[in-house]
Structure formats: structure tokens, C-alpha cells
Amino acid sequence: MTFHITVDGRSVPVVPGQTIGAALHAAGVRSWRTTRFGGRPRGLFCGIGVCFDCLISVNGRPPERACLLEAEPGDEVTTA
């Protein structure tokens, strides 16, 4: 049974056990931040926690890697 998280005000479906990065990718979201220099789009890159391209903030906590963080019902995700 799926549940939803909120990403920048948008509802995103999640399969239990899925990371936030995987849920965003499944929803068609390929980038959610940009580089400091040049403003190039970033999202999932390595998908295994080695890089920091997929940073997000969940429930007001400091930025974490979306590819490592399992989604929980009711999570409020911000990408900016």
C-alpha cells in the first residue's frame, strides 16, 4: 500500500521502503537543486550516498542525502 510525502508543497506517492530519492525519481522528478556556480541542475547522481548531489531537508532537519533516507508517511521535504 502506498502513502504520500510532500515535496515543496507537491504530493509524491511512495512505496513503503522506498528512499525519498527513489520516490522523486519514480514521480518523474529528475532534479531538485542547482549547483552554486553555474546553476546546473542536480538530483540523483550516484544513488548510493557517495556524492552530495541529492541533498534535501526533511521535516526541518539539516540537509540529508535523498538517496539514503527512507521516506516516512507525512514527511515534509524541502529542496531549496
Side-chain angles (χ1 to χ4, degrees):
M1 176 168 220
T2 63
F3 59 90
H4 287 78
I5 60 174
T6 303
V7 180
D8 295 331
R10 172 185 170 193
S11 181
V12 174
V14 179
V15 175
Q18 211 172 28
T19 65
I20 293 174
L24 287 169
H25 189 79
V29 180
R30 299 296 187 257
S31 65
W32 50 84
R33 58 181 288 277
T34 56
T35 59
R36 278 183 258 171
F37 304 107
R40 290 180 293 244
R42 291 291 183 258
L44 285 180
F45 180 67
C46 73
I48 59 172
V50 175
C51 74
F52 289 84
D53 280 351
C54 64
L55 290 177
I56 55 164
S57 179
V58 180
N59 302 322
R61 295 190 308 260
E64 302 175 74
R65 289 169 281 189
C67 67
L68 297 178
L69 192 60
E70 187 173 326
E72 299 290 336
D75 276 347
E76 295 280 337
V77 179
T78 54
T79 62

